[in-house]
Amino acid sequence: MQRAAQRDDRAQRAQRLRRVLVCAAAVPAVLITAACSSDSGDSKDKGGASAQQTAGGSTGQPSSSASPTVQAAAYRKLPEPCTVLSKKTLTDLVPKGVKSAKEGKSDDTASRSSCSWNSLDNNGVKGSQFRWLNVSLLRFDSDANRGAGDKQAHAYFTQQVSDAQNVSGAKNTKAEPVTGTGAEATVVRYDLKKKEGAFKQQTVVARVENVVVTLDYNGAGLAGEKTPGADDLAKAAEKAVKEAIAAVSAANGSGSGTSSSTKPSGSPSKSASKSPSKSASKSPSSGASPSKSATAKN
């Protein structure tokens, strides 16, 4: 009996020991499982937070930014084109055509306009002196897409000078800067032979702020009359351009018309898609253009 009791006691101790060992063996597995579960949760949470941040960044409202702005154009209007030159200046340039002013057509005179004059001093068999004068004005507004008005005007100024230097049939073409005239100015001179006679063409292009003034002036001796001197014509044309520049400034309440604007770069605005007038010289006999200078390009 005692041995049986001892066996039973040993059996019970062995059973308790097995339970302890089983529990002891189970603890690390539980801990490992808990640890894995903990890591998985952290990773999931982190991944979720990251995903939420990414989603928030992609779907959230972007930070507001200021719309691009450009400096307002200096000049808001143009003077009446047929009044930009004084009677005295017209008498010097077109002595027989002071009252022959003809304003060019424009659908927006605040942005583009022009006026032309012609003079024929007819001396019968002794020959005649012909003069033709045209003044074109083009103004550019500042635009967020196209840029500041003066930059657009500079681009157009450059194109006008280039066009004047590449007139078909022109001979002895020469370009020179004109000082003291707006922000920038250039005179382009060339000879053009037509059936009516030998024409001396002077094209002066000047920019003041956001306005470009193009003055075409030519002269010819007809029916045996001598050809006028190119230097005299150029000097008269340059003087007239300065007067036109001053008229632009005066129309906008400014002073002398000189400008300290630096030479910018840019592309012409849509207002340049149409030339205010064809910068061409008209023959006294047929009305054909013996010379053709800068016109706006689309």
Side-chain angles (χ1 to χ4, degrees):
M1 291 290 293
Q2 184 176 3
R3 290 181 179 178
Q6 289 176 347
R7 283 197 303 268
D8 292 340
D9 184 56
R10 284 198 297 269
Q12 291 176 359
R13 287 199 300 270
Q15 187 176 2
R16 286 196 296 271
L17 179 59
R18 281 196 300 270
R19 285 201 296 269
V20 170
L21 291 175
V22 169
C23 289
V27 169
V30 173
L31 292 176
I32 292 171
T33 302
C36 292
S37 298
S38 177
D39 290 343
S40 176
D42 289 345
S43 177
K44 184 177 180 180
D45 290 343
K46 290 178 181 179
S50 176
Q52 290 176 356
Q53 290 175 359
T54 302
S58 60
T59 61
Q61 293 296 329
S63 58
S64 59
S65 58
S67 300
T69 59
V70 293
Q71 184 176 357
Y75 294 151
R76 304 297 298 274
K77 59 183 179 178
L78 296 175
E80 291 293 330
C82 295
T83 66
V84 296
L85 301 179
S86 67
K87 183 178 180 180
K88 181 180 183 305
T89 297
L90 290 173
T91 300
D92 292 339
L93 273 66
V94 285
K96 298 296 183 178
V98 174
K99 296 182 179 181
S100 67
K102 182 178 180 180
E103 185 171 348
K105 294 182 179 180
S106 173
D107 57 1
D108 183 6
T109 55
S111 295
R112 50 185 173 270
S113 62
S114 65
C115 190
S116 62
W117 299 260
N118 64 77
S119 171
L120 179 63
D121 186 4
N122 193 340
N123 296 311
V125 295
K126 294 182 179 180
S128 304
Q129 285 290 333
F130 174 71
R131 300 289 185 274
W132 184 82
L133 172 67
N134 184 82
V135 178
S136 299
L137 304 101
L138 191 61
R139 185 184 64 83
F140 294 82
D141 281 320
S142 293
D143 183 271
N145 294 321
R146 295 181 179 88
D150 59 344
K151 291 183 179 180
Q152 297 178 61
H154 170 71
Y156 181 71
F157 164 86
T158 302
Q159 186 62 56
Q160 287 287 80
V161 172
S162 176
D163 288 347
Q165 290 177 294
N166 292 281
V167 172
S168 177
K171 303 293 184 182
N172 305 316
T173 302
K174 181 169 60 175
E176 299 174 336
V178 180
T179 60
T181 305
E184 51 189 335
T186 298
V187 57
V188 180
R189 303 163 56 174
Y190 55 85
D191 301 334
L192 201 62
K193 183 71 175 180
K194 290 290 181 177
K195 63 180 181 180
E196 295 87 357
F199 287 79
K200 296 288 186 179
Q201 172 73 29
Q202 323 295 314
T203 297
V204 187
V205 186
R207 177 182 70 85
V208 57
E209 299 292 354
N210 57 308
V211 174
V212 176
V213 176
T214 303
L215 185 145
D216 287 290
Y217 182 51
N218 69 47
L222 308 177
E225 181 64 281
K226 67 178 182 179
T227 302
D231 290 341
D232 292 337
L233 294 178
K235 186 181 296 184
E238 291 172 16
K239 178 182 177 182
V241 164
K242 291 181 180 181
E243 195 170 309
I245 287 289
V248 172
S249 298
N252 289 272
S254 303
S256 63
T258 57
S259 171
S260 59
S261 299
T262 56
K263 293 184 180 181
S265 60
S267 57
S269 70
K270 64 179 180 181
S271 61
S273 61
K274 294 182 180 180
S275 174
S277 69
K278 290 184 178 179
S279 300
S281 308
K282 292 187 177 180
S283 164
S285 60
S286 63
S289 301
S291 69
K292 181 180 179 182
S293 72
T295 57
K297 292 187 175 181
N298 291 335

